[in-house]
Amino acid sequence: MSARIIDGKAIAARLRAELAARVAAIQARGTTPGLAVVIVGDDPASKVYVRGKARACEDLGMHSQVHALPADTSQAHLIAFVRRLNEDDRIHGILVQLPLPGALDSRAVIESIAPGKDVDGFHYQNVGSLVAGEAAAFYPCTPAGVMKMLAHEGVAIEGAHAVVVGRSTIVGKPMALLLLNAGATVTICHSKTRDLGAMTRQADILVAAVGRARLIVADMVKPGAVVIDVGVNRMADGKLAGDVDFASVAEVAAMITPVPGGVGPMTIAMLLANTVSAAERAAPRVSSVQAGN
Ligand code: GUN
């Protein structure tokens, strides 16, 4: 193997340590950052994710609430529930776990979250800022985590050709926009792309986010590329596999993220970072009079 492994777990641990200091500083101003996670129904994978998010908050000394609502929750009830969280001063970030079951309209629910508490960065106001290339209150956690990893590893983005495989609202599209806003030339590929390999071979930075196990193999990767694997696919043997065939691609890439231990830990760390930022905006500053100056 020639590629350097980008250790997402270690980068996320460092970020969490920085966040712990920021949490302590906010607490000194009388506010504890609070995240509310709303989960509807009992999808087992979603439950695991939600538990992980709550635990990560608590480990950092933050306030966390998990609201588990039944699968038959009505749209009106869910929106009213979110609106109450909008008004709750203990809560700085609100996350409604997706996908929502049944006939619930995810878009309407997301739009009911106050944009300043939308720590997922999914509200149209935050999406619009990202599209416009202006500062958004929050950027979606997974792509923001990838940007942090690239920065941490000193990867030059300006002028690089970035190829994003996947066009989801949660990862692919915001990933492409963040890279574009940072000065990359960006190609977005997806399930209808003809000759995917011809596209991916042009990538200086290749981000795979399609949810197809080991789709990206060595001959689809330019020697020396930086390869970021967002995929988390559960295999028949119960093990996790990324969208990248790690063993073969590690022979040609300059840097590569593993699965697990790559992008995954960064996603939760960015959720914490977004919640801490929201609390910093909300917490009253100690005035110069109170500070005794
Ligand atoms: N489901 C899968 N990923 C996510 C995410 O980042 N945020 C929310 N709210 N739901 C998800």
Coordinates of all heavy atoms in Angstrom, one line a residue, residues 36 47 108 112 125 197 225 232:
A36 N -31.4 19.0 20.3 CA -32.6 18.1 20.3 C -32.6 17.3 19.0 O -32.5 17.8 17.9 CB -33.8 19.0 20.4
K47 N -32.1 4.6 14.7 CA -32.0 4.6 16.2 C -30.5 4.5 16.6 O -30.1 5.2 17.6 CB -32.7 3.4 16.8 CG -34.2 3.6 16.9 CD -34.8 2.3 17.5 CE -36.2 2.5 18.0 NZ -36.7 1.1 18.4
A108 N -41.4 19.8 4.3 CA -42.2 20.7 5.1 C -41.7 20.7 6.6 O -41.7 21.7 7.3 CB -43.7 20.3 5.1
S112 N -39.9 23.8 8.9 CA -40.4 24.3 10.1 C -39.3 24.5 11.2 O -39.6 25.1 12.2 CB -41.5 23.3 10.7 OG -40.9 22.1 11.1
Q125 N -33.1 28.1 3.6 CA -32.3 29.3 3.8 C -30.8 29.0 3.8 O -30.0 29.7 3.3 CB -32.7 30.0 5.1 CG -32.1 31.4 5.3 CD -32.8 32.1 6.4 OE1 -34.0 32.2 6.5 NE2 -32.0 32.6 7.3
G197 N -15.7 5.6 -15.0 CA -14.2 5.5 -14.8 C -13.5 6.6 -15.6 O -12.5 7.2 -15.1
A225 N -4.1 10.6 -6.5 CA -5.4 11.2 -6.1 C -5.6 11.1 -4.6 O -5.1 10.2 -3.9 CB -6.5 10.6 -6.9
V232 N -21.2 3.9 3.4 CA -21.2 2.9 4.5 C -22.2 1.9 4.1 O -23.4 2.1 4.1 CB -21.8 3.6 5.8 CG1 -21.8 2.6 7.0 CG2 -20.9 4.8 6.2

